[in-house]
Every structure is written in C-alpha cells, then in structure tokens.
Amino acid sequence: MIEPNFRHTINGQQVATAIAQDYQTNKILMVAFINKQAYHKSIETNYAHYYSTSRDKIWFKGEESGHTQQIKEVLLDCDSDAIIFKVKQNGGACHTGHYSCFYKKLSSNGQDIIEDDTDIVFNPDEVY
Amino acid sequence: MIEPNFRHTINGQQVATAIAQDYQTNKILMVAFINKQAYHKSIETNYAHYYSTSRDKIWFKGEESGHTQQIKEVLLDCDSDAIIFKVKQNGGACHTGHYSCFYKKLSSNGQDIIEDDTDIVFNPDEVY
C-alpha cells in the first residue's frame, strides 16, 4: 500500500500532517497528525483515524460523538509528508459544535479574533 | 497581537501547523510549519513565511522563485495550534511546477498514485 512519509517526530511518534477537507465545498474541517497505524486503519475502514498527540493514541474521529468522516479521496503532497482526506463529514468536525474547527478569523489589525458562529451544527453539551 | 499556540516541538522549535489555501477556490496549496518569528513576519509583511524543518530557518515563501503568497485572511482553529493563510498565490505553490503541492491522488485500492498534471503552471528548470 502507498504510504505517506511519516517523517515528523511528535511525542516520539513518527507522523505526517493530515488535513480533513469537505469533499464537496473544499472547506477545511480540521488538521491533525497521523501515524502509520492510524493511516492503515483509515484506508482499511474508509473512515478517518488520526494520532492524538495529547492522548498519545490512535483516535477514530467520531468514535464518541458519532461525527465520523467518511473518506472519499486521499491526496498526498509532493514530498508525501502531508495528506488530505477529502471527506463526507457527519455532524460537525469540531468539539465546539462548529462544522469546521477553523471558525476564528484574525481581525485586519491582528489584535482580535472574530468568531464565525454561522456554522454551528450541534450542541456540545448534548453530545459529549 | 493574537498568536497561534506554537505547541508542537519539531527540531527543537515550537511550531504550529500552517495551511495555505487559495482565497478564491479554497484549493489547498501546501502545508508547512510556522514558528513565532515566521508568524510575525507574515502578519507584518502580509506575505506568508514559514519555518523550514529541513533547513531549520525562517522561509519567505517565493523568495527565490517569486512565487509569493499574499495573505488575504488568517484563520485559527479551535485550540489555536493550526492556522490557515487564505492567499493569492503568485505562480505556483509547488517546487515541481504544480499550482498545488497536493497533485498526487491515491488510487481506490490504495496501491498506486495518480498524478494530476493539469495544474502545472511553470517549468521548475526555468525557475530554480
């Protein structure tokens, strides 16, 4: 099987960068790291798995919340140390209830954060 | 100034993950790491700078090639350890001549790479 180059060392794990992107709108949903085991799980099951640097374990996205990511396409970059999962996102990608984790925009002077709350798709209190 | 959380340690540098995305089409152009100095350079100049893990230095994207990335918008993710630069890409983002670094697609059986050469925008031999 074709594999990324897991050349970054984080918490002693060899990882690549993994981006989840909506397969229809191209909206970026989240970014995480992936190791060899999580990559194989993803390709075998067709659902995104990552390596959690904070919990130091394989992480099946949506295992608890049901907000899984069905993989439609896998892209690798030129030197293969980063991948894109183009996915069908069930529910929302973000634990805050947003569809995408990237809901914070820098103000033009760089001094403030403007939150986009138009993409809230669930109430975290009801899910976690 | 608002800053990302540079919480990942790569090559002894504190970094965040940085994604460059076309500000009009939402195509993902490349992914890299960014440290505090590169972030400040980016915000101050309005052009993307990254931290090169292989060269261990700040990297002004397009310094050699002219293929700079003018920043139109900066997004942060929920825990602020990843950012998106929505950019106007001059020329192409990839050193191979492709507009995007993500021109390799995994075949459906996971055994092959299918290269998309429709987005080649320059000849690397003439640029580097």
Side-chain angles (χ1 to χ4, degrees), chain A residues 1-2 7-10 17 19 21 25-28 31 33 39 43 53-54 73-80 82-84 94-96 101-106 110-113, chain B residues 1-2 7-10 17 19 21 25-28 31 33 39 43 53-54 73-80 82-84 94-96 101-106 110-113:
Chain A
M1 187 188 289
I2 300 285
R7 74 179 182 90
H8 304 304
T9 308
I10 303 248
T17 307
I19 303 168
Q21 183 178 29
T25 65
N26 279 342
K27 195 172 176 80
I28 297 175
V31 60
F33 294 107
Y39 177 77
I43 303 301
T53 56
S54 53
E73 201 171 285
V74 180
L75 302 177
L76 288 85
D77 76 343
C78 48
D79 58 1
S80 297
I83 66 172
I84 297 173
C94 193
H95 71 287
T96 58
C101 290
F102 290 93
Y103 59 87
K104 298 191 290 190
K105 189 168 104 175
L106 203 67
Q111 302 296 317
D112 296 292
I113 290 287
Chain B
M1 186 187 291
I2 300 285
R7 75 179 181 90
H8 304 303
T9 308
I10 304 250
T17 307
I19 303 168
Q21 183 178 29
T25 66
N26 278 343
K27 194 172 176 79
I28 298 175
V31 60
F33 294 107
Y39 177 77
I43 302 302
T53 56
S54 53
E73 201 171 286
V74 180
L75 303 176
L76 286 87
D77 76 344
C78 48
D79 56 3
S80 297
I83 65 171
I84 297 172
C94 193
H95 71 288
T96 58
C101 290
F102 289 92
Y103 59 88
K104 298 190 290 188
K105 189 169 104 175
L106 203 66
Q111 301 297 316
D112 296 292
I113 290 288

Side-chain angles (χ1 to χ4, degrees), chain A residues 18-61:
Chain A
I19 303 168
Q21 183 178 29
D22 186 291
Y23 81 113
Q24 288 179 311
T25 65
N26 279 342
K27 195 172 176 80
I28 297 175
L29 302 170
M30 54 175 279
V31 60
F33 294 107
I34 191 164
N35 65 1
K36 190 185 179 86
Q37 193 187 346
Y39 177 77
H40 279 264
K41 282 267 189 196
S42 299
I43 303 301
E44 285 157 21
T45 64
N46 224 30
Y47 281 88
H49 293 65
Y50 302 99
Y51 164 69
S52 167
T53 56
S54 53
R55 289 174 288 168
D56 188 20
K57 56 176 277 202
I58 304 298
W59 162 36
F60 170 30
K61 173 69 184 166

